[in-house]
Amino acid sequence: MKKSMIALAVAGALAASAAAQAETTLYGSARLGTEYVTTDVEGAPNYWDIADQGSRLGVRGSEDLGGGLSAIYQYEFGVNAAGQEPNQTSPLRQRLSWVGLKGGFGAVTIGRQYTPMYNAVGQYTDVFNGNITNPYSDSSNNSRQSNQLIYTSPDLRGLSLAGSVMADGPENQVTGNQKNNIDQYQLAAIYNNGPVSVGVGGGQVKSDFSLGYSFWGIGGSLTLGDFVVSASYEDRIDVDGVNVPEYAGYGLVGGYNFGNNTVRAGWGRLDPDDDNGNNQDMWQLGFEHRLSKRTLMWVEYTDSEIINSDQQLYGGEVVPLNKIGSDADTLLSIGLRHDF
């Protein structure tokens, strides 16, 4: 009997030790909303839509390897919480999937991840809840990219540095063209000091054929009591090989917190460097009420104007903007979000 008790005690201690060294967390967010979309395009109807608003399900964790070294990982899938569409083969879509090592040197991760450019620039103005594409922020539209190797430095008195390379075999992931080198690289830096946060980043898309370009941007936020002001600027330059204009993107968002509520207002402009006048302005208004730490409701309104064009150029392709994409389009979004 005593031997059995000792064996059980040893087994329990070992299990507790293993649990302390390895940590796994299941998490998710259910986000659904009702949308009303209007458009000035001739023949296009206005319509109501009950739609998923970015629901996701994921697992992340770490394991203590000893000597200050840890293995880290994350898998995250987008979930169509509104229900699978008839033409969908799966209600899931890949968002994040990476593994890496973390220690005193920082972290090295590999897989599908948020880009250094998004973390340093685009995330500052990507703060609304509904299905709104930010045409002025290329880094927000390309926030997650596959086949990345990323190094992130440790915290250096509020400063964090990051660099990435993306390689996807013989075909360029960004352009779809054949090549034999790195598809893309990015460098970024973020500085946090109390109410001030500033990020800067840049990089280059490389290809042996048809398309290559450089890009850079800067973003930041300032918190003054209950007020938060965020801004971003992005610039695509040195475009070579195809008829894709260089452009600049501007974003500005202001928010005010009172009690369990937040009101936001945003403006953005996409300004291609061409003679076609394809500028796009976007205005956003939002109200958010937090029912608890995990549950909130929102009402958001977006208005977008495009001059001489109802589409926008990204990555060498003409891609319709999600919901907002034609002259004087508007979108009203009313939604509910629960995080777990």
Side-chain angles (χ1 to χ4, degrees), residues 137-197:
S137 176
D138 198 12
S139 66
S140 293
N141 284 279
N142 295 287
S143 60
R144 296 176 297 273
Q145 293 190 15
S146 303
N147 307 105
Q148 289 190 97
L149 176 65
I150 299 180
Y151 167 73
T152 305
S153 76
D155 188 309
L156 306 170
R157 298 181 179 271
L159 177 66
S160 177
L161 307 175
S164 72
V165 294
M166 182 173 66
D168 190 22
E171 184 175 287
N172 189 306
Q173 176 182 310
V174 177
T175 67
N177 298 305
Q178 297 296 313
K179 50 78 191 169
N180 57 15
N181 54 19
I182 299 298
D183 294 292
Q184 183 179 156
Y185 71 84
Q186 296 188 14
L187 297 172
I190 302 174
Y191 179 69
N192 294 302
N193 185 0
V196 177
S197 180

Side-chain angles (χ1 to χ4, degrees), residues 22 35 41 48 164 178 234 262 270 326:
E35 301 174 337
V41 175
W48 286 96
S164 72
Q178 297 296 313
E234 299 182 41
T262 300
L270 185 68
S326 52

Side-chain angles (χ1 to χ4, degrees), residues 27-336:
Y27 69 94
S29 182
R31 310 181 187 190
L32 285 162
T34 299
E35 301 174 337
Y36 185 67
V37 180
T38 67
T39 175
D40 282 353
V41 175
E42 185 176 354
N46 303 331
Y47 61 90
W48 286 96
D49 187 20
I50 295 177
D52 180 76
Q53 307 283 316
S55 301
R56 73 282 311 263
L57 181 66
V59 60
R60 57 180 170 236
S62 64
E63 181 186 10
D64 186 354
L65 302 176
L69 186 65
S70 297
I72 53 177
Y73 72 91
Q74 184 175 9
Y75 281 97
E76 183 178 288
F77 297 92
V79 181
N80 187 355
Q84 185 173 339
E85 300 295 335
N87 60 346
Q88 281 186 303
T89 58
S90 171
L92 303 177
R93 66 185 186 280
Q94 190 177 16
R95 286 172 57 91
L96 300 169
S97 54
W98 56 264
V99 66
L101 295 173
K102 182 179 181 180
F105 59 88
V108 175
T109 52
I110 186 167
R112 180 171 175 82
Q113 307 168 70
Y114 284 104
T115 66
M117 184 73 174
Y118 174 75
N119 289 331
V121 181
Q123 59 101 0
Y124 288 105
T125 51
D126 186 19
V127 295
F128 287 86
N129 292 286
N131 283 335
I132 300 172
T133 298
N134 298 328
Y136 55 83
S137 176
D138 198 12
S139 66
S140 293
N141 284 279
N142 295 287
S143 60
R144 296 176 297 273
Q145 293 190 15
S146 303
N147 307 105
Q148 289 190 97
L149 176 65
I150 299 180
Y151 167 73
T152 305
S153 76
D155 188 309
L156 306 170
R157 298 181 179 271
L159 177 66
S160 177
L161 307 175
S164 72
V165 294
M166 182 173 66
D168 190 22
E171 184 175 287
N172 189 306
Q173 176 182 310
V174 177
T175 67
N177 298 305
Q178 297 296 313
K179 50 78 191 169
N180 57 15
N181 54 19
I182 299 298
D183 294 292
Q184 183 179 156
Y185 71 84
Q186 296 188 14
L187 297 172
I190 302 174
Y191 179 69
N192 294 302
N193 185 0
V196 177
S197 180
V198 179
V200 61
Q204 185 177 44
V205 171
K206 304 175 68 176
S207 174
D208 290 342
F209 305 98
S210 296
L211 178 63
Y213 58 87
S214 300
F215 54 89
W216 74 278
I218 185 171
S221 67
L222 174 64
T223 302
L224 299 172
D226 293 323
F227 290 91
V228 180
V229 179
S230 303
S232 64
Y233 172 82
E234 299 182 41
D235 199 3
R236 177 182 286 188
I237 56 178
D238 299 331
V239 176
D240 181 32
V242 296
N243 186 27
V244 178
E246 300 177 1
Y247 64 79
Y250 310 82
L252 180 65
V253 177
Y256 174 66
N257 301 303
F258 58 102
N260 293 327
N261 309 295
T262 300
V263 291
R264 294 187 181 94
W267 166 82
R269 166 169 289 183
L270 185 68
D271 185 12
D273 184 15
D274 60 19
D275 297 325
N276 299 323
N278 293 328
N279 297 333
Q280 174 167 327
D281 286 307
M282 176 185 286
W283 297 267
Q284 300 163 280
L285 293 174
F287 173 77
E288 179 180 293
H289 175 65
R290 292 173 291 279
L291 299 167
S292 70
K293 291 182 178 181
R294 295 177 176 270
T295 304
L296 64 84
M297 301 177 64
W298 78 79
V299 178
E300 294 176 351
Y301 178 80
T302 304
D303 192 346
S304 178
E305 293 183 355
I306 303 176
I307 303 173
N308 297 331
S309 176
D310 63 358
Q311 293 177 315
Q312 183 55 52
L313 294 167
Y314 284 114
E317 299 178 355
V318 178
V319 180
L321 297 176
N322 181 26
K323 305 291 186 182
I324 301 299
S326 52
D327 289 355
D329 271 357
T330 67
L331 183 147
L332 174 66
S333 175
I334 304 171
L336 177 66

